[in-house]
Amino acid sequence: MAVPSWTDTELGAKARAALWLVEVVGVGGIFTKAMLRQAFPENTQIDRRLRELRDHGWQIDTSRDNPALKQQEQKFVAKGADIWLPGQASLPKHKHSLSAAQRAKVLREDDFLCRTCGIGVAEKYIDGPGSSKQLGVARREVLLPDGTVDYQLETACSRCISSSSGEVADLAGTLDAVAALSPLEKNALAGWIASDRRVRGSLEALWGVYRTLPAASRQAIRDAVSDGTQS
């Protein structure tokens, strides 16, 4: 079947945007939003239609994904589904767009913090330059105890959305690990869950201090611990 032209106005905006990438930009090519809008001046939502191509397997990198790109540049890395063909434009349920109410609910449940790194809006990253300009909602693939896969929603900053893409959360394995904990360990974990933060105990604090001491001082601590266990 012949590939239609991106200028065919009988096609939807998303299909035309996909064809524009293939026919004008080309795989490996770099383009800007200004170029995209110039090609589709009649469509004010063309940026969104282009982003939606990612849900169909198209890889379009921004400067967040590829530091070599300028802020206004995007790179067409890989072609996905031929969404201009009948039946190819439909999405699986977990790929459907979220409503504003759904996004707001997820952000509230996660206390407006990225669940991966804990950063909030406009906070600085502690391990490098830059700050979290905005928080989004990501779909996380979760392996359930019965072996099926579910797609659950979580809050994520722009950096973590890019770095954790495709990472599967193993709920089944995590539940097995919880079941293997001692009662004392379960109580400690329950406390961390209740406060949604890990509180360092006195033993952990002592271990941290011990690790920073000179050799002679560490030996004194070892001797004190040894005396206590033998008495």
Side-chain angles (χ1 to χ4, degrees):
M1 181 181 293
V3 176
S5 170
W6 73 272
T7 59
D8 186 352
T9 55
E10 296 296 318
L11 297 171
K14 184 160 60 175
R16 290 183 62 202
L19 289 164
W20 179 78
L21 286 177
V22 171
E23 298 170 10
V24 177
V25 178
V27 173
I30 294 175
F31 64 97
T32 64
K33 286 185 177 181
M35 292 168 59
L36 178 66
R37 292 168 183 169
Q38 185 177 11
F40 299 91
E42 75 287 351
N43 194 314
T44 58
Q45 298 294 315
I46 196 61
D47 293 353
R48 177 177 295 180
R49 301 290 86 82
L50 188 79
R51 289 196 300 271
E52 290 172 352
L53 291 176
R54 295 187 176 98
D55 292 333
H56 298 274
W58 292 63
Q59 185 178 347
I60 305 165
D61 285 358
T62 66
S63 57
R64 291 197 302 269
D65 309 304
N66 184 348
L69 295 173
K70 297 177 182 177
Q71 187 173 5
Q72 71 274 19
E73 291 179 335
Q74 298 184 63
K75 184 175 183 178
F76 176 28
V77 178
K79 175 179 166 294
D82 296 338
I83 63 167
W84 51 85
L85 296 178
Q88 293 294 310
S90 58
L91 290 172
K93 184 178 179 181
H94 71 273
K95 292 286 190 178
H96 289 176
S97 298
L98 300 177
S99 67
Q102 287 175 306
R103 291 179 183 276
K105 181 175 182 293
V106 175
L107 290 168
R108 285 196 304 271
E109 290 175 342
D110 289 339
D111 296 322
F112 298 91
L113 297 173
C114 174
R115 298 309 300 176
T116 300
C117 70
I119 200 169
V121 175
E123 291 182 346
K124 299 287 186 181
Y125 290 110
I126 61 173
D127 59 347
S131 61
S132 177
K133 295 182 174 61
Q134 62 182 10
L135 294 174
V137 174
R139 291 178 172 87
R140 185 78 179 276
E141 188 175 346
V142 180
L143 179 63
L144 300 180
D146 62 2
T148 60
V149 172
D150 189 20
Y151 291 87
Q152 301 177 4
L153 303 176
E154 66 178 3
T155 302
C157 68
S158 55
R159 189 170 74 172
C160 290
I161 285 177
S162 299
S163 62
S164 63
S165 178
E167 185 177 328
V168 179
D170 184 4
L171 178 60
T174 304
L175 288 172
D176 288 342
V178 170
L181 294 175
S182 68
L184 183 63
E185 291 171 324
K186 284 184 179 179
N187 285 336
L189 180 61
W192 298 344
I193 292 172
S195 60
D196 199 27
R197 66 188 183 95
R198 182 186 177 202
V199 180
R200 292 182 65 196
S202 57
L203 191 60
E204 288 180 292
L206 277 173
W207 170 250
V209 171
Y210 167 80
R211 294 286 292 171
T212 67
L213 295 175
S217 294
R218 292 200 307 274
Q219 184 59 53
I221 298 296
R222 283 196 295 271
D223 292 343
V225 171
S226 178
D227 290 344
T229 58
Q230 294 173 3
S231 60

